[in-house]
């Protein structure tokens, strides 16, 4: 710990004492020190996803792949299929790639340092710091949106986010203790999730209240200030639902890019301009009579909203090199959520 004001010196200890009595019990928090495989798996799953959504996926993965070798040896498509519904599928591809590297090049042992971890697929600065601190007890500075929110309030930082990021990181670095840095990182995560929440901080229950400038100034729900977020753009496209005797044509997306490597129904590119059914036909998998399905499918990705219309056709002949799936097998095929929505939209009340 360096450069701390007098009032901050006991702050990590107070947080740790609170954590001992009030920390969350989570399935990846077993044993001391923590199992690096479990910490890594949970941290990858938690990237841009809530704890509540992650828990069932984590438990499923630990049952299917109890260690890094079983995950590394599983077929990639199987892993992607089990990931379906958790979103941000690049994480699943990188998870599998990383498991293979750890199994083949590192003898099954994760590197301890942030630098070593950051060199692996899917591990950015935050995840590297979290694994290094929680699994290996390294005094790494673990900063995500939750930690930034707590620190902005604690220190009364009024510079709007994201301009304040550098300052908040420097405050976090100064506070990080040499002793029990992993518990400290988990304690901050828990404080952000249960007490110092985004919209309703429970200051009377907060172990840091005595040091909190936002609380003293009545600014706990005002801070952190955010620069006005940009509206997400809307993209649009047309999906081709091709049937042949109870089977539906699907294809795999290219490995790189959005939903890389995942199954999809063929479609036009997704663009900001609306595309008419006539203009969509050159993108169709085959020449046949295409009929519009009423309504549209809506889905929101991190950076844009998507609106999809569907054209339905039927043919036995196709020069298309996709694959045919039985209608009843669609839900278990490992589609990303947006494509499940397409299937539900077309099939309506039918069980899939
Ligand atoms: Fe957050 Fe309130 Fe605690 Fe300050 S006192 S850190 S605003 S919960």
């Amino acid at each position: 710990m360096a450069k701390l004001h007098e009032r901050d010196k006991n702050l990590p200890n107070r947080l740790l004492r609170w954590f001992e009595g009030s920390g969350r019990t989570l399935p990846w928090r077993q044993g001391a020190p923590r199992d690096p495989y479990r910490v890594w798996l949970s941290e990858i799953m938690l990237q841009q996803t809530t704890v509540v959504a992650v828990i069932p996926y984590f438990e499923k993965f630990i049952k299917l792949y109890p260690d890094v070798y079983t995950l590394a040896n599983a077929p990639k498509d199987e892993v992607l299929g089990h990931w379906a519904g958790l979103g941000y599928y690049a994480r699943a591809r990188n998870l599998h790639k990383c498991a293979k590297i750890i199994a083949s090049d590192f003898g099954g042992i994760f590197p301890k340092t942030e630098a070593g971890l950051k060199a692996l697929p899917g591990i950015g600065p935050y995840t590297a710091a979290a694994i290094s601190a929680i699994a290996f007890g390294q005094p790494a500075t673990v900063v995500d949106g939750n930690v930034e929110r707590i620190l902005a309030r604690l220190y009364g930082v009024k510079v709007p986010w994201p301009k304040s990021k550098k300052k908040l990181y420097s405050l976090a670095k100064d506070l990080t203790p040499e002793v029990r840095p992993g518990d400290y990182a988990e304690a901050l995560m828990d404080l952000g999730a249960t007490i110092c929440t985004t919209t309703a901080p429970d200051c009377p229950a907060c172990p840091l209240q005595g040091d909190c400038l936002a609380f003293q100034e009545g600014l706990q729900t005002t801070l952190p200030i955010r620069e006005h977020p940009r509206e997400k753009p809307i993209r649009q496209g047309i999906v081709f639902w091709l049937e042949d005797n109870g089977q539906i044509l699907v294809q795999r997306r290219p490995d790189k890019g959005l939903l890389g490597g995942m199954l999809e129904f063929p479609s036009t590119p997704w663009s900001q301009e609306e595309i008419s059914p006539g203009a969509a036909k050159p993108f169709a998998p085959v020449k046949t009579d295409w009929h519009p399905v009423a309504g549209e499918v809506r889905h929101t990705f991190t950076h844009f909203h998507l609106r999809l219309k569907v054209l339905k056709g039927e043919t036995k002949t196709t020069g298309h090199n996709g694959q045919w799936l039985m209608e009843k097998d669609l839900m278990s095929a490992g589609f990303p959520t947006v494509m499940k929505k397409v299937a539900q939209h077309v099939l309506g009340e039918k069980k899939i």
Side-chain angles (χ1 to χ4, degrees):
M1 208 191 302
K3 289 190 268 172
L4 279 191
H5 300 297
E6 203 52 43
R7 73 181 183 98
D8 302 322
K9 278 193 179 147
N10 265 322
L11 197 145
N13 283 340
R14 260 182 291 125
L15 189 61
L16 286 166
R17 273 201 301 279
W18 169 83
F19 179 64
E20 282 155 18
S22 306
R24 292 173 295 177
T25 304
L26 297 170
W28 45 89
R29 289 184 180 172
Q30 284 181 7
R34 306 275 191 237
D35 173 6
Y37 173 67
R38 283 173 170 253
V39 174
W40 164 73
L41 181 60
S42 65
E43 286 299 335
I44 301 294
M45 288 184 164
L46 286 164
Q47 289 168 358
Q48 293 161 305
T49 309
T50 63
V51 165
V52 173
V54 163
I55 286 174
Y57 282 88
F58 178 84
E59 287 178 333
K60 175 169 73 172
F61 267 66
I62 283 293
K63 210 163 161 197
L64 292 166
Y65 315 119
D67 53 45
V68 74
Y69 287 106
T70 42
L71 181 58
N73 292 331
K76 184 173 85 176
D77 287 349
E78 180 191 293
V79 174
L80 287 173
H82 288 304
W83 189 277
L86 202 52
Y88 305 101
Y89 294 91
R91 292 182 300 165
R93 290 197 310 278
N94 281 329
L95 182 89
H96 191 245
K97 216 189 274 178
C98 181
K100 281 189 163 307
I101 293 171
I102 295 293
S104 61
D105 300 353
F106 290 79
I109 296 168
F110 282 85
K112 283 186 181 168
T113 63
E114 287 178 83
L117 288 158
K118 261 194 294 190
L120 293 165
I123 301 185
Y126 168 79
T127 307
I131 299 171
S132 183
I134 297 169
F136 298 111
Q138 304 292 306
T141 308
V142 184
V143 182
D144 68 350
N146 278 315
V147 175
E148 287 179 331
R149 180 175 65 253
I150 296 168
L151 294 175
R153 289 173 175 171
L154 208 51
Y155 288 89
V157 176
K158 295 179 184 88
V159 177
W161 189 93
K163 284 200 185 106
S164 57
K165 278 179 97 60
K166 225 170 154 182
K167 164 94 178 153
L168 294 171
Y169 185 86
S170 148
L171 291 169
K173 195 167 178 352
D174 288 351
L175 271 181
T176 303
E178 299 280 338
V179 179
R180 299 175 64 192
D183 287 348
Y184 172 78
E186 289 184 345
L188 266 184
M189 289 172 190
D190 288 10
L191 190 80
T194 62
I195 302 276
C196 194
T197 58
T198 312
T199 51
D202 184 4
C203 301
C206 179
L208 310 182
Q209 191 208 88
D211 279 324
C212 181
L213 292 183
F215 178 74
Q216 284 165 25
E217 296 173 29
L219 293 176
Q220 55 270 45
T221 50
T222 308
L223 299 180
I225 296 164
R226 286 182 167 263
E227 276 179 351
H228 200 59
R230 277 195 307 144
E231 285 272 305
K232 285 184 188 184
I234 296 173
R235 291 193 199 165
Q236 308 184 61
I238 292 185
V239 172
F240 299 97
W241 180 276
L242 189 64
E243 289 183 358
D244 176 6
N245 208 16
Q247 295 189 312
I248 315 298
L249 184 72
V250 302
Q251 63 186 20
R252 210 162 271 289
R253 290 177 68 85
D255 264 353
K256 291 231 179 314
L258 183 73
L259 305 177
M262 302 296 292
L263 282 175
E264 67 169 3
F265 304 105
S267 83
T268 63
W270 302 341
S271 66
Q272 301 211 15
E273 306 300 323
E274 185 173 358
I275 185 163
S276 68
K281 287 195 178 149
F283 298 99
V286 292
K287 278 194 177 149
T288 188
D289 290 333
W290 292 102
H291 305 285
V293 175
E296 66 178 11
V297 175
R298 295 181 168 212
H299 188 74
T300 296
F301 292 98
T302 329
H303 300 299
F304 65 94
H305 300 294
L306 180 64
R307 311 264 185 270
L308 292 174
K309 292 205 165 67
V310 181
L311 292 177
K312 201 170 162 183
E314 201 172 331
T315 182
K316 291 196 189 316
T317 50
T318 172
H320 189 267
N321 55 5
Q323 64 185 97
W324 294 93
L325 275 185
M326 292 302 294
E327 200 178 287
K328 69 176 173 51
D329 295 330
L330 288 178
M331 259 331 192
S332 56
F335 281 101
T337 304
V338 60
M339 292 297 151
K340 282 187 181 165
K341 285 186 183 174
V342 169
Q344 276 159 344
H345 179 69
V346 176
L347 298 172
E349 293 306 305
K350 275 196 207 172
K351 286 269 176 261
I352 53 174

